[in-house]
Amino acid sequence: MEELKVNMESSIEYISVFGIIGGIALGIQLDYKFFMLSIVSLMLLLFIGRRKRRKIRKYYEKTLRNQWGRDHNIDRDFSIISKLYEYMGSRNNENGTYRFAIDDITWRDLNMDSVFSKVDHTKSLAGANYLYYILRNPLFDEGELRNRNDIVDALLNNRDISQVLQIPLMILGRDSGKELFIYFKDGVDTDTKYLTIYRILSILSYISIGLLFWDRHIGFVALISVIMVNAIIYQTNKNRIYEEIEIFKAIGDLIGTGKSILGIDTEGIDLEQAKIKDILDRTKGIYRNISILNTNDGGNTEIQVLMDYINMVTLRETIAFYKTIDLINEHREDIFKLYRYLGKIDAYISIASYRDGISFYTEPELIDEEEGFYMKADKLYHPLLEKPVPYSFKLDNKGALVTGSNASGKSTYLRTIGINALFSQTLYMALAKNYNANYFRLLTSIGTTDSIEEGDSYFMAEAKSLKRIIDILDGVPVLCILDEIFRGTNTAERISAASQVLDYMIDGNCCIIAATHDLELTTMVDDRFINCHFRETIRDEDIKFDYILRDGP
């Protein structure tokens, strides 16, 4: 039945297009009354289009209700998702601005691509970009974190509003905007010197149409002549337009999404609407011109085929394209800000949706002190485990050495601490009953491997990984998570070197949590380390792990 309705709508669309063209032709050749056929056919075409849009909106609403609070199992290309983080980093470098960020080694060690995928409930590429940027840039200011948390809480408590906001973001989608960062960096490099000529030819097309009402024969000859010239220009410029059309489409979609967001009553939730409105006011000319271009959103629909012919005769699309180049280059920074504002809204809704789907979490209590370090957690758990065994511990100016056999849970424990420390300073939440800790700069050395390309042995790669941590020690609390320190060398040298490095680092106000198989190390390090371990049992000729953290080596 539904398929029959779709086929009927398509048939009506085709008939309507022929009605519009036929009405114009008959009106010119026979009697102006036939123009009424074109008007009726156009109204019918618009009615079908509106009906389709209502169906699509209902589909979005149902999809968003079903997806709220649940994992989004989709393909993710992190080379694209990371673009905002990389672009902002390059801008900071150009400006000489230093901002601590999670480095690639730490991100990889904590399996953050997988963790990101768990948290990522965004609907647009801008949202995914911004959420990734958030997770790579921990904050050290309580005011910023609380402001972020207040907005996320408001979106969580007003789920209906959040899902209405998600509709334009879902329409924006994750495919639009992949090339925008090239534009943000370099702008659009296209010559606009022929714009005046195109405008003159466009005016001539309208004059020719007007002549039809004065003298049909003269008007017809003039119109055919203009169409021939304009058709050649139109087809010549079509290739140039296609080269840039993805960027134009992405900018148009972005501005259109901003307009839709502003039209939603958010009941006082501060989503920086005033800043978005200012940008939209400055860029309304861009949106108006881009709306003229055929961005081929829905394929070659009947309306679009009709518009192609109109654009060919009047050069409307060609003129709009060249006018828009200067405008989008002039407002490049505005477009970039709009991208971030919309991405931020999507990312915050994503965090709210993620929170709504997990067992429990807490707002962290973060300590803004540079003297000493502290971390206390109650029932801390890992976000990727379906049935996690939670950990409770306290580190008061003491690091921790973790021992236990392979597969007993040491690495999971290390990653659980690192991920939750990062969540606390980015999402302002910890997966725990209670979490209290310093603001930390977080670095890890867990999954170090040798590098054939750089000519590094396993030991040298690990030494370099540790050195990057030592180089950052300047008295500000650092959370350092290590797994099997110096595993790439012999036992005697490994234990001796490890004990010296651990003592040196903890003296530099570094909260170290390190896993090791070397029980000798537990007695050699400074008394500012506590010991804990994981245990296994042998039962029915099999090894069983309970993953419970216990005191002592």
Side-chain angles (χ1 to χ4, degrees):
M1 188 65 179
E2 188 64 32
E3 185 177 349
L4 180 62
K5 288 181 180 179
V6 172
N7 290 334
M8 285 182 63
E9 286 179 352
S10 298
S11 299
I12 293 172
E13 284 185 325
Y14 280 115
I15 293 170
S16 298
V17 170
F18 284 121
I20 293 170
I21 297 172
I24 293 172
L26 293 171
I28 293 171
Q29 292 296 323
L30 299 178
D31 194 302
Y32 296 141
K33 292 178 181 178
F34 284 101
F35 286 136
M36 285 301 299
L37 176 61
S38 299
I39 295 171
V40 172
S41 298
L42 179 60
M43 291 176 65
L44 187 59
L45 202 59
L46 294 173
F47 173 77
I48 295 295
R50 186 177 180 183
R51 181 183 174 89
K52 282 185 175 180
R53 287 193 294 273
R54 282 203 300 264
K55 285 183 179 179
I56 292 171
R57 185 178 180 88
K58 286 182 179 178
Y59 166 77
Y60 284 147
E61 289 172 348
K62 181 180 178 181
T63 301
L64 291 169
R65 284 195 300 270
N66 292 336
Q67 290 181 343
W68 183 267
R70 298 178 182 176
D71 292 351
H72 287 34
N73 297 316
I74 58 175
D75 292 332
R76 293 177 173 86
D77 185 343
F78 282 91
S79 66
I80 296 173
I81 290 172
S82 62
K83 281 187 178 295
L84 177 62
Y85 162 72
E86 293 165 356
Y87 179 68
M88 290 297 291
S90 67
R91 281 171 57 120
N92 288 338
N93 291 337
E94 289 173 5
N95 297 332
T97 304
Y98 171 76
R99 178 168 184 164
F100 177 80
I102 300 301
D103 65 17
D104 291 342
I105 293 175
T106 302
W107 185 267
R108 184 190 64 236
D109 283 348
L110 297 179
N111 300 327
M112 284 303 299
D113 280 357
S114 297
V115 174
F116 172 88
S117 299
K118 194 79 172 177
V119 180
D120 178 26
H121 295 190
T122 60
K123 304 304 173 187
S124 66
L125 179 58
N129 284 153
Y130 202 89
L131 180 62
Y132 185 93
Y133 172 76
I134 286 175
L135 287 169
R136 292 292 297 251
N137 287 277
L139 298 176
F140 296 83
D141 181 85
E142 184 179 8
E144 287 184 74
L145 283 167
R146 285 196 175 277
N147 179 64
R148 178 180 292 171
N149 185 64
D150 289 345
I151 297 171
V152 172
D153 271 352
L155 292 167
L156 177 58
N157 295 328
N158 294 274
R159 177 170 156 178
D160 290 342
I161 292 175
S162 295
Q163 290 178 2
V164 172
L165 288 166
Q166 282 182 310
I167 292 175
L169 293 166
M170 193 173 189
I171 294 171
L172 181 63
R174 300 178 76 103
D175 293 325
S176 178
K178 292 180 181 178
E179 305 300 325
L180 272 177
F181 286 93
I182 298 174
Y183 155 70
F184 291 147
K185 185 175 184 296
D186 301 320
V188 177
D189 183 18
T190 300
D191 197 347
T192 61
K193 62 184 178 183
Y194 296 114
L195 180 56
T196 302
I197 296 173
Y198 299 152
R199 280 174 167 159
I200 293 171
L201 290 170
S202 177
I203 292 171
L204 289 176
S205 71
Y206 290 109
I207 292 173
S208 299
I209 294 170
L211 285 173
L212 290 170
F213 296 93
W214 177 65
D215 188 307
R216 286 179 184 165
H217 297 293
I218 293 175
F220 186 75
V221 172
L223 182 59
I224 292 299
S225 301
V226 171
I227 287 174
M228 290 175 64
V229 174
N230 286 2
I232 294 171
I233 293 172
Y234 177 75
Q235 291 301 325
T236 301
N237 282 285
K238 200 70 176 173
N239 293 331
R240 294 175 188 163
I241 293 173
Y242 280 149
E243 288 175 3
E244 306 291 351
I245 201 66
E246 285 303 316
I247 289 177
F248 277 67
K249 178 184 181 302
I251 293 172
D253 290 346
L254 204 64
I255 296 173
T257 303
K259 289 166 69 71
S260 297
I261 293 287
L262 280 188
I264 297 169
D265 182 7
T266 58
E267 297 183 7
I269 303 173
D270 183 12
L271 300 176
E272 300 182 286
Q273 290 98 325
K275 294 178 181 178
I276 293 174
K277 185 179 184 305
D278 287 342
I279 291 173
L280 294 181
D281 288 342
R282 291 193 295 270
T283 58
K284 58 187 176 183
I286 296 174
Y287 185 70
R288 185 170 57 247
N289 287 333
I290 290 178
S291 65
I292 296 171
L293 303 178
N294 174 13
T295 54
N296 202 25
D297 281 341
N300 291 320
T301 63
E302 288 71 23
I303 292 179
Q304 193 58 64
V305 171
L306 182 64
M307 290 305 300
D308 279 343
Y309 284 115
I310 294 173
N311 288 329
M312 182 177 68
V313 173
T314 63
L315 293 181
R316 182 167 172 262
E317 182 182 51
T318 305
I319 292 169
F321 172 74
Y322 285 106
K323 281 172 61 179
T324 308
I325 288 171
D326 291 335
L327 284 172
I328 64 175
N329 283 336
E330 178 185 347
H331 292 283
R332 186 170 50 172
E333 189 63 25
D334 279 329
I335 301 299
F336 178 58
K337 287 179 180 177
L338 180 61
Y339 190 86
R340 283 185 293 161
Y341 290 144
L342 297 182
K344 183 187 291 188
I345 293 169
D346 198 2
Y348 284 5
I349 296 172
S350 173
I351 298 167
S353 175
Y354 173 69
R355 286 183 178 181
D356 210 22
I358 56 180
S359 300
F360 59 87
Y361 67 93
T362 187
E363 292 181 9
E365 296 181 24
L366 296 174
I367 304 167
D368 189 14
E369 292 182 7
E370 295 187 3
E371 293 292 331
F373 56 83
Y374 183 83
M375 178 181 286
K376 181 182 179 183
D378 180 26
K379 297 191 180 305
L380 194 75
Y381 66 95
H382 195 290
L384 298 182
L385 299 179
E386 289 187 10
K387 296 180 180 180
V389 177
Y391 313 107
S392 297
F393 59 89
K394 178 180 176 181
L395 301 174
D396 189 358
N397 284 315
K398 288 192 175 186
L401 288 182
V402 189
T403 49
S405 61
N406 288 326
S408 61
K410 299 191 303 298
S411 295
T412 300
Y413 172 61
L414 298 181
R415 291 188 172 97
T416 300
I417 293 173
I419 292 167
N420 278 282
L422 182 57
F423 274 13
S424 296
Q425 290 178 233
T426 54
L427 311 183
Y428 203 64
M429 59 181 286
L431 305 182
K433 292 294 185 182
N434 291 288
Y435 179 88
N436 191 331
N438 284 85
Y439 289 94
F440 283 115
R441 287 184 287 181
L442 171 65
L443 294 107
T444 68
S445 183
I446 296 175
T448 308
T449 60
D450 56 356
S451 175
I452 296 175
E453 291 85 358
E454 297 183 15
D456 288 339
S457 66
Y458 192 100
F459 174 80
M460 186 55 69
E462 189 174 19
K464 288 182 176 180
S465 179
L466 287 170
K467 185 178 184 299
R468 87 188 204 286
I469 301 171
I470 291 172
D471 286 344
I472 206 173
L473 299 179
D474 59 2
V476 177
V478 173
L479 176 59
C480 174
I481 298 175
L482 308 174
D483 192 11
E484 299 300 327
I485 185 170
F486 293 129
R487 76 186 86 177
T489 190
N490 64 76
T491 302
E493 291 182 355
R494 177 176 66 248
I495 294 172
S496 177
S499 65
Q500 293 295 315
V501 168
L502 293 175
D503 284 343
Y504 178 85
M505 290 172 72
I506 202 164
D507 286 341
N509 206 21
C510 182
C511 177
I512 304 169
I513 303 170
T516 181
H517 284 297
D518 297 315
L519 290 176
E520 299 92 336
L521 191 60
T522 64
T523 61
M524 293 177 62
V525 294
D526 192 282
D527 59 3
R528 290 174 62 191
F529 285 86
I530 64 170
N531 288 291
C532 53
H533 71 279
F534 291 93
R535 184 179 300 170
E536 75 286 337
T537 58
I538 308 296
R539 188 184 307 152
D540 300 327
E541 298 185 355
D542 192 14
I543 302 176
K544 303 290 184 181
F545 302 103
D546 59 18
Y547 307 112
I548 295 173
L549 183 69
R550 294 177 171 86
D551 293 334

